[in-house]
Amino acid sequence: MKLHSNVTVFVCLSLASFCLLLLSSHVQFAWPSAGRPDLRAANRAQHVESSRQPRCDGCFNTTFPVFINQPQLCEQSSSMDIINGHHQGTSSRDIIDIVFFIPSSPHASSRRHVIRRTWTSVTGNNTSNLRYVFVVGVTSDYMRMRTLVDESASFRDVVVIGFDDSYLNLTLKTISSLRWLTHHCNHARFFFKVDDDVWVNTDLLLTTFNRQAPSLTSGLGGACPMPHRVIRDTSNKWYASYESYPDDKYPDYCSGTGYGSTLAVANQIVSASRDVPFFHLEDVYVGLCLQRLGLRAVHLDGFHLRPLPTDPCDDTVARRVTFHEVTPSRMTRQWSADCSQQRAEMRRRKKSLFLDFLFLVQ
Ligand SMILES: *[C@@H]1O[C@H](CO)[C@@H](O)[C@H](O)[C@H]1NC(C)=O
Ligand SMILES: *[C@@H]1O[C@H](CO)[C@@H](O)[C@H](O)[C@H]1NC(C)=O
Ligand SMILES: *[C@@H]1O[C@H](CO)[C@@H](O)[C@H](O)[C@H]1NC(C)=O
Ligand SMILES: CC(=O)N[C@H]1CO[C@H](CO)[C@@H](O)[C@@H]1O
C-alpha cells in the first residue's frame, strides 16, 4: 500500500514536470521581476475591446489542469490509520473544521516556509482538525518551477494549477482554488482564504465561525462590506478601467485579505462563476458571485486590516482574528514570543484592581 502510493506520487510528479517542461518551452509568460505587480503594464493589459457585461451564459471557464495535486491533504485520520494498517474507527478527530487556502506565487517560498513554521503549524502537518494548502499558478521560469516541484514533494502542501501566475490572474487563482477545495475537501465544515502576508489567530477564527455558523450557510464572512466606490485613478493598486467595470459601484464584498464560509457556499460560488464574467479584483469578483446567488457579505468582528502591533505581547494580538501586511520576520517574532509573564502580570493587575474596588465599596 505504502509502496503503491509512493510510486503514484513519483509518476504524478514526473508527469507534472514533463508538462511544465513542455509548457515552458512553448509559451512565454511575463512575470514582473521584483514580484510586485507592474501597475502600468497591468493597466494596459486590462484594456478590453468591449465593456464588461454584468452576466453571461457560461462564458468564464476556470477549469485548468491541476499540474501538482495533493489529494491527501483533507484525508481524515481514520482513512490514514487504515493506510497504516490500524483502523481506529471514527472519532471527533475526524472532523475537519477549517481548511485554509493560501494563494501564493512561485517565487514566494520563503514566505511559505515562515507560514509553515508559524501559524499553520497548529495543523500538525495537516493531520488535525485544521488543514492548509498553498495554491500557486505557473511561470515560464523553468528553474523556479523545478524548485517548486521539489518544495511541493517535500512538504506536500503546495498545489500547482495550470494558469499563468500573475497579479491580474488572482481571480483565476481564487476560483480554481475553491474548485479544488470542493473536489478534495468537501467534507470540511468551513474554508478560509487568506493572503500570505496575513497573520491568523486560528483559535479565535474557529470560535467566530462556530458562533456565526447559521449566517455562514447563506453568506461569506470577513472584513465586509468593503467600500463600494470603483477606483479610476490609474496609479492606484485597485484601479479598474471603465471597460473592465462600467458601473460606479461594487456590490457588497469582503476584503481579500481573509474571508471564509461553509463548503456549501464554496460550491455555489464555483457554479455561479461560470456566468459571471471575469473581473481582475478577486475579492470584488467573489462579491459579484455572491450578488448573483443572493448571498450576503457577513461582517465578522476581529478582522483587522492593519499590521501586528510592534509588541508581540500586546493584548490586541489575542483579541483579533487577522492582521494584514505582516512581514515574514514579524511572523517569526510573533510565533516565538513568550507572553506568559505579561499575561500573569495582567491577571495580577486585574485582581488587584478588583480588590481595590471591593475595598472602596465597603
Ligand atoms: C474549460 O477549459 C478546459 C481546458 O482549459 C476544457 O477542457 C473544458 O472543456 C472547458 N469547459 C468548457 C465548458 O468550455
Ligand atoms: C511535521 O513535519 C516536520 C518535518 O517535515 C517534523 O519536523 C515535525 O516534527 C512534524 N510535526 C508533527 C506535529 O508531526
Ligand atoms: C492569465 O492566465 C491565462 C491562462 O494561463 C493566460 O492566458 C493569461 O495571459 C493570463 N493573464 C495575465 C494578465 O497574466
Ligand atoms: C496528510 C498530509 O498530507 N500530511 C502532510 C502534511 O505536511 C507534512 C509536511 O509539512 C507532510 O510530511 C505530511 O505528509
Side-chain angles (χ1 to χ4, degrees):
M1 200 71 182
K2 189 90 187 159
L3 183 72
H4 178 77
S5 64
N6 280 347
V7 168
T8 318
V9 168
F10 178 72
V11 170
C12 293
L13 284 177
S14 319
L15 266 178
S17 350
F18 178 68
C19 295
L20 291 174
L21 239 176
L22 270 185
L23 203 84
S24 51
S25 58
H26 286 285
V27 195
Q28 282 303 313
F29 294 130
W31 177 253
S33 49
R36 281 192 149 266
D38 174 354
L39 284 176
R40 276 171 209 287
N43 290 339
R44 270 200 306 277
Q46 245 192 74
H47 181 78
V48 278
E49 296 305 313
S50 56
S51 293
R52 182 182 184 277
Q53 299 299 308
R55 60 185 60 87
C56 65
D57 194 10
C59 65
F60 190 36
N61 184 355
T62 50
T63 311
F64 295 98
V66 177
F67 282 146
I68 302 180
N69 203 356
Q70 300 295 348
Q72 84 292 347
L73 270 177
C74 285
E75 249 167 37
Q76 286 153 303
S77 56
S78 58
S79 48
M80 281 190 282
D81 288 341
I82 296 170
I83 291 171
N84 295 336
H86 36 89
H87 181 46
Q88 312 242 315
T90 328
S91 67
S92 58
R93 280 179 322 134
D94 290 337
I95 292 173
I96 297 179
D97 285 310
I98 306 176
V99 41
F100 295 90
F101 78 85
I102 311 167
S104 187
S105 314
H107 67 271
S109 65
S110 56
R111 276 190 180 273
R112 288 191 289 276
H113 283 311
V114 167
I115 290 174
R116 285 185 189 110
R117 283 196 303 264
T118 59
W119 67 266
T120 62
S121 65
V122 297
T123 67
N125 289 340
N126 276 320
T127 55
S128 80
N129 63 327
L130 305 176
R131 311 285 169 109
Y132 73 94
V133 58
F134 293 108
V135 182
V136 179
V138 297
T139 136
S140 60
D141 183 338
Y142 176 70
M143 284 318 287
R144 185 89 71 200
M145 289 314 291
R146 275 205 49 179
T147 328
L148 192 64
V149 169
D150 291 345
E151 183 187 330
S152 183
S154 34
F155 296 99
R156 303 177 75 204
D157 58 7
V158 182
V159 166
V160 180
I161 305 184
F163 57 84
D164 181 10
D165 196 293
S166 72
Y167 176 70
L168 283 181
N169 267 347
L170 284 178
T171 297
L172 303 188
K173 199 177 274 184
T174 294
I175 302 298
S176 44
S177 304
L178 285 172
R179 177 177 292 104
W180 185 89
L181 289 184
T182 63
H183 288 166
H184 298 285
C185 303
N186 213 27
H187 49 288
R189 294 176 61 219
F190 303 107
F191 74 87
F192 192 67
K193 180 258 173 175
V194 60
D195 283 342
D196 64 2
D197 61 346
V198 171
W199 177 265
V200 186
N201 182 344
T202 53
D203 285 346
L204 191 54
L205 177 65
L206 184 54
T207 311
T208 307
F209 272 5
N210 281 334
R211 211 175 33 228
Q212 297 283 340
S215 42
L216 293 178
T217 58
S218 59
L220 189 76
C224 25
M226 292 292 282
H228 299 94
R229 194 171 56 88
V230 179
I231 294 170
R232 304 299 189 187
D233 167 8
T234 52
S235 62
N236 191 295
K237 187 179 174 187
W238 293 285
Y239 162 77
S241 67
Y242 283 100
E243 290 81 6
S244 72
Y245 197 89
D247 215 345
D248 285 340
K249 279 197 154 74
Y250 293 134
D252 284 355
Y253 67 100
C254 302
S255 159
T257 50
Y259 56 71
S261 187
T262 57
L263 266 288
V265 167
N267 277 277
Q268 291 182 69
I269 293 172
V270 171
S271 333
S273 72
R274 279 189 272 273
D275 302 330
V276 178
F278 172 81
F279 181 62
H280 72 293
L281 301 174
E282 64 87 26
D283 45 9
V284 172
Y285 182 83
V286 171
L288 291 163
C289 294
L290 294 178
Q291 183 188 40
R292 179 155 176 80
L293 291 161
L295 299 179
R296 293 174 47 220
V298 182
H299 171 82
L300 301 179
D301 286 334
F303 283 68
H304 208 45
L305 302 181
R306 269 169 282 163
L308 277 162
T310 322
D311 172 11
C313 298
D314 189 297
D315 55 334
T316 53
V317 174
R319 291 205 313 262
R320 304 259 199 266
V321 181
T322 56
F323 291 89
H324 183 214
E325 290 179 345
V326 182
T327 60
S329 61
R330 184 66 188 82
M331 278 197 191
T332 308
R333 196 156 65 84
Q334 185 65 45
W335 190 252
S336 48
D338 176 7
C339 301
S340 49
Q341 265 187 339
Q342 278 85 343
R343 267 190 238 112
E345 172 65 12
M346 195 124 79
R347 271 197 300 275
R348 197 194 58 74
R349 250 186 282 158
K350 270 191 196 148
K351 201 168 149 195
S352 80
L353 265 177
F354 181 65
L355 290 178
D356 288 352
F357 173 75
L358 282 186
F359 180 74
L360 272 176
V361 294
Q362 255 177 17

